[in-house]
Amino acid sequence: MARYFDLHPENPQRRSLGQVVEILRADGLIAYPTDSCFALGCRPGNRDGLDRIRAIRKLDHRHHFTLVCQDFAQLGQFVHIDNAVFRAIKAATPGSYTFILPATKEVPRRLMHEKKKTVGVRIPDHRVTQALLAELGEPLLSSTLLLPGEGEPMTQGWEIKEELDNQLDAVLDSGDCGVEPTTVVDFSSGEPEVLRVGAGDPAPFG
C-alpha cells in the first residue's frame, strides 16, 4: 500500500519530505505533483522503479523519460547544451516545459532514447517539487501520470492513491497541481522542434 502524504503547498513539512526521500532511496516509486500535472518518480538508478513506470503506463522503449532537476547546475550534468540552446531554455525555466537533449555519460543507458541517445530534462516551477528535489539532492526520473487509454493525466492525489495503491510506495498531495502535461521541445538537432503542446507556451520555440 502507498503511504499518503498531505503536504502544505507553500511550506511543505520537512519531516514528511524526509520520509519521502527515505522511500525514494530505498528504491521506492512515488506519485508527486508538479507545475504541469502529477508525475511518477523514482531515483535515476532505480531499475525496478523504471520497470514499474513502464508497466503502469504501458510504455515501449521509444518513450522519452525525463530527469526532473532542481536547477541548471544539476541539469548541466546530464545533457549536452550549447550557448544558444542554453539561453533559450534558461528564458523558459523554471516552468512547464520538457526539453529533449543529447545525454551525457552521467545518464544510465537504459534511460536514454534507444536510437537517439537523448533524454528529457526539466526544471519545474512548483514549491513542493523543488523542496523534494532539494532534500533528495539528485534529479527524479519521471514520467507524466497518464494511464493507458486515458486522454488526460490524473489530477487528484486521493484518486491516485485509490487507483494505484498497490503499484506505488507513496503519493504526495499538495492540492495545487496543474492539469496539463508539459510542452515538449526537442533541441537534439540544435533547432527547437515542439513535439507536444501542453502547459508551457510554445510560442518562444515556434
Side-chain angles (χ1 to χ4, degrees), residues 107-145:
V107 178
R109 199 173 195 81
R110 64 187 173 277
L111 307 189
M112 298 179 195
H113 187 280
E114 212 168 16
K115 292 202 172 89
K116 298 178 180 175
K117 303 296 181 272
T118 48
V119 70
V121 286
R122 91 180 201 87
I123 302 172
D125 186 13
H126 191 278
R127 285 189 186 232
V128 171
T129 316
Q130 281 288 347
L132 178 62
L133 291 167
E135 194 75 20
L136 182 61
E138 63 179 320
L140 275 170
L141 166 66
S142 285
S143 185
T144 304
L145 211 177

Side-chain angles (χ1 to χ4, degrees), residues 40 56-57 144-154 163-164:
L40 298 166
I56 289 168
R57 291 207 52 204
T144 304
L145 211 177
L146 183 63
L147 296 181
E150 295 294 325
E152 294 179 353
M154 299 184 79
E163 180 86 16
L164 299 173

Side-chain angles (χ1 to χ4, degrees), residues 123-202:
I123 302 172
D125 186 13
H126 191 278
R127 285 189 186 232
V128 171
T129 316
Q130 281 288 347
L132 178 62
L133 291 167
E135 194 75 20
L136 182 61
E138 63 179 320
L140 275 170
L141 166 66
S142 285
S143 185
T144 304
L145 211 177
L146 183 63
L147 296 181
E150 295 294 325
E152 294 179 353
M154 299 184 79
T155 56
Q156 301 291 330
W158 62 270
E159 281 183 337
I160 294 165
K161 163 93 167 118
E162 228 168 60
E163 180 86 16
L164 299 173
D165 202 19
N166 297 322
Q167 293 165 276
L168 299 173
D169 299 296
V171 175
L172 283 62
D173 194 357
S174 60
D176 63 334
C177 191
V179 295
E180 273 188 289
T182 55
T183 292
V184 179
V185 185
D186 188 344
F187 269 108
S188 57
S189 67
E191 293 297 319
E193 181 189 353
V194 178
L195 301 184
R196 178 178 75 195
V197 176
D201 181 6

